[in-house]
Amino acid sequence: MQDFFKDIPPIAFEGPDTDNDFAFRHYNPDEVVMGKPLKDHLRFSAAYWHSLAWPGGDPFGGQTFERPWFGDTMALAKLKADVAFDMFQRLGMPFFCFHDADVRPEGQDFAENTRNLEEMVDYFGEKMDASGVKLLWGTANLFSHRRFMAGAATNPDPEVFAFSAATIKTCMDATMKLGGENYVLWGGREGYETLLNTDMGRERQQAGRMLQMVVDYKHKTGFKGAILIEPKPQEPTKHQYDYDVATVYGFLKEFGLEGEVKVNIEQGHAILAGHSFEHELAMARELDIFGSIDMNRNDYQSGWDTDQFPSNVPEVALAYYEVLKAGGFTTGGTNFDAKLRRQSLDPEDLILAHVGGMDICAAGFKAAATMLDNGALEEQRTARYSGWETELGQMLMTSDLAEIETLTRKNTINPKPCSGRQERLENIVNRFV
């Protein structure tokens, strides 16, 4: 066993007046909100890759973290798992997520990768049985290794496509064996850097075929969880085929998969796409493809995906407002796809980052629930579109242009502008956050 967190107590709820850093102020997992406990609404999950595998580098500097489990051996992979589950239990974290490369040593070939993954899956199974921690989702890392520098499904080399498809199959098997509730596809390098060497049509067909195979395998094996795509724009490639929720939906429609696949939406990616988090969540709800979220934030001055823990209650509240309007999570949850800053070196930093994130999410979620229950925003929205419930509004949706012209002339329709009341609505939000 390990003692990385030996001086850190289990984190408990102590309320907003506590001065204990190692306590929750807002997140009481058993507090009932809208008919069920917060823990069942929020479904918190820790990201194995950022919390346990990330070495603290960035585009301008290398490793800053020195962890006793860093290294490519099975013994160190198991030590990492010991530390991980110790952290999950101290935090009361009900779920975790992982890529295959996060949890197993890198082998010399596909067969060794698979053997290593299977051994770690067995080890995880023991840890999960002992702790009660569950798997929110699994996925394959098809972007870090140099073989994926030109993509995985969209790679010009069919051997890379084959390696990628086989890897996805083993990761789906691992997810199912561990009782994972979703399987995620994150196209980190599924895009292009220059059109000068890119056949966009061919690459889209390859990506569509890969996703069809994933869905077919889900049905063949009887996997009951959701298949999720995580929209990701810009970084690291110039243009990615899964740019935002709307782009993903168009891709799903093209390949007949809109009823089979949902989205895992990340706050940082929404910002990189030029949207707000709540925009992407609302879009997913309206298109009926909402699945799960990665909760983090960006440094708005940096202009890239900094993956910081959430710290802004109003932002989080607006996001959870859209989640609640979508009916809340089913198989999905709130995964902290967030990492420490490179200077946050201590074990305490890793625990406190999650404590703060969980508290911010709880405060934002409760504000969102109160705001939705109050109904003031929805009353204003309903009133703004009320004209569409009249006879005129209903008729316009079934008439043609000539009929509408005749109607406009006959009734001397001459509309006057109406206020959008944005400031009033912002004031309403500020009552709750």
Side-chain angles (χ1 to χ4, degrees):
M1 277 297 294
Q2 53 72 43
D3 58 0
F4 189 70
F5 298 116
K6 64 179 179 179
D7 297 323
I8 301 174
I11 309 301
F13 173 73
E14 295 184 6
D17 296 328
T18 185
D19 59 2
N20 179 8
D21 287 345
F22 294 92
F24 294 121
R25 288 164 174 76
H26 303 287
Y27 177 56
N28 177 358
D30 297 317
E31 179 182 353
V32 175
V33 177
M34 300 184 77
K36 65 181 182 181
L38 267 181
K39 62 185 178 184
D40 295 335
H41 278 296
L42 292 167
R43 291 168 59 85
F44 284 134
S45 171
Y48 210 95
W49 53 99
H50 282 333
S51 294
L52 284 307
W54 186 58
D58 68 15
F60 304 100
Q63 177 175 334
T64 59
F65 298 157
E66 295 179 352
R67 307 301 198 201
W69 57 86
F70 281 177
D72 240 7
T73 69
M74 190 60 68
L76 290 175
K78 291 180 178 178
L79 174 60
K80 187 196 304 183
D82 293 340
V83 174
F85 279 85
D86 185 21
M87 184 182 82
F88 303 156
Q89 290 175 271
R90 287 175 194 265
L91 289 165
M93 187 74 69
F95 294 97
F96 74 107
C97 301
F98 71 89
H99 305 80
D100 58 328
D102 306 327
V103 304
R104 54 137 179 88
E106 183 69 26
Q108 295 297 311
D109 53 23
F110 170 76
E112 187 177 359
N113 280 351
T114 303
R115 288 194 300 272
N116 291 343
L117 178 61
E118 290 172 347
E119 184 173 343
M120 287 306 303
V121 165
D122 290 340
Y123 197 70
F124 273 180
E126 296 171 4
K127 309 291 286 187
M128 293 167 69
D129 288 343
S131 66
V133 177
K134 299 177 182 179
L135 179 63
L136 187 65
W137 48 259
T139 186
N141 182 324
L142 303 178
F143 49 87
S144 292
H145 194 282
R146 65 193 299 268
R147 69 172 64 91
F148 303 120
M149 64 182 183
T154 60
N155 200 288
D157 184 348
E159 289 193 356
V160 177
F161 183 99
F163 193 103
S164 302
T167 299
I168 289 173
K169 188 264 186 190
T170 64
C171 291
M172 291 182 73
D173 290 342
T175 300
M176 287 184 277
K177 187 171 182 178
L178 293 173
E181 300 193 21
N182 309 269
Y183 184 82
V184 171
L185 295 120
W186 187 80
R189 296 193 183 275
E190 306 293 20
Y192 64 81
E193 295 180 0
T194 174
L195 279 174
L196 298 176
N197 63 5
T198 300
D199 185 334
M200 189 187 297
R202 178 182 290 277
E203 291 194 1
R204 287 183 59 81
Q205 290 299 313
Q206 291 171 203
R209 179 59 191 141
M210 183 75 84
L211 187 55
Q212 287 170 339
M213 289 192 291
V214 168
V215 170
D216 289 345
Y217 192 64
K218 167 188 170 171
H219 292 305
K220 179 180 179 180
T221 57
F223 178 50
K224 301 303 182 185
I227 302 297
L228 305 175
I229 286 181
E230 183 167 328
K232 174 71 165 72
Q234 304 292 348
E235 181 189 273
T237 53
K238 186 174 183 178
H239 179 90
Q240 273 145 305
Y241 300 130
D242 49 4
Y243 190 86
D244 60 6
V245 169
T247 305
V248 168
Y249 184 73
F251 176 80
L252 296 177
K253 289 281 286 186
E254 180 180 354
F255 293 96
L257 297 170
E258 66 272 21
E260 298 280 2
V261 179
K262 297 185 182 298
V263 286
N264 180 62
I265 304 169
E266 180 187 300
Q267 194 268 5
H269 296 170
I271 300 302
L272 285 182
H275 306 308
S276 67
F277 196 13
E278 57 266 29
H279 166 89
E280 289 289 83
L281 291 164
M283 181 67 73
R285 183 190 70 244
E286 295 297 337
L287 296 173
D288 195 27
I289 56 171
F290 171 70
S292 194
I293 64 173
D294 277 357
M295 182 60 82
N296 57 24
R297 66 183 172 93
N298 284 358
D299 183 323
Y300 296 136
Q301 291 178 298
S302 296
W304 55 294
D305 194 3
T306 53
D307 287 327
Q308 295 172 242
F309 280 86
S311 64
N312 187 314
V313 172
E315 279 189 347
V316 170
L318 291 175
Y320 279 122
Y321 189 82
E322 299 298 335
V323 170
L324 285 169
K325 286 186 66 178
F329 298 118
T330 52
T331 62
T334 303
N335 178 48
F336 287 109
D337 189 1
K339 58 195 177 191
L340 298 177
R341 299 303 86 197
R342 298 174 72 239
Q343 299 177 56
S344 299
L345 304 178
D346 298 336
E348 291 83 357
D349 296 326
L350 190 52
I351 296 292
L352 291 174
H354 286 89
V355 170
M358 295 164 82
D359 254 351
I360 289 293
C361 287
F365 181 88
K366 287 188 282 188
T370 303
M371 194 158 49
L372 190 61
D373 184 63
N374 174 270
L377 284 178
E378 297 311 307
E379 288 173 9
Q380 294 280 332
R381 194 193 320 267
T382 299
R384 188 177 187 215
Y385 291 92
S386 61
W388 287 95
E389 303 303 320
T390 65
E391 181 180 355
L392 172 64
Q394 297 294 308
M395 186 172 61
L396 290 174
M397 297 303 290
T398 58
S399 301
D400 62 26
L401 290 178
E403 291 169 333
I404 292 175
E405 183 199 15
T406 299
L407 177 72
T408 302
R409 290 178 181 276
K410 180 179 178 181
N411 293 281
T412 318
I413 291 177
N414 187 25
K416 302 296 187 294
C418 296
S419 173
R421 300 179 172 179
Q422 180 173 333
E423 291 75 18
R424 177 183 296 192
L425 297 171
E426 290 169 347
N427 290 347
I428 290 174
V429 171
N430 287 333
R431 296 176 198 168
F432 299 96
V433 300

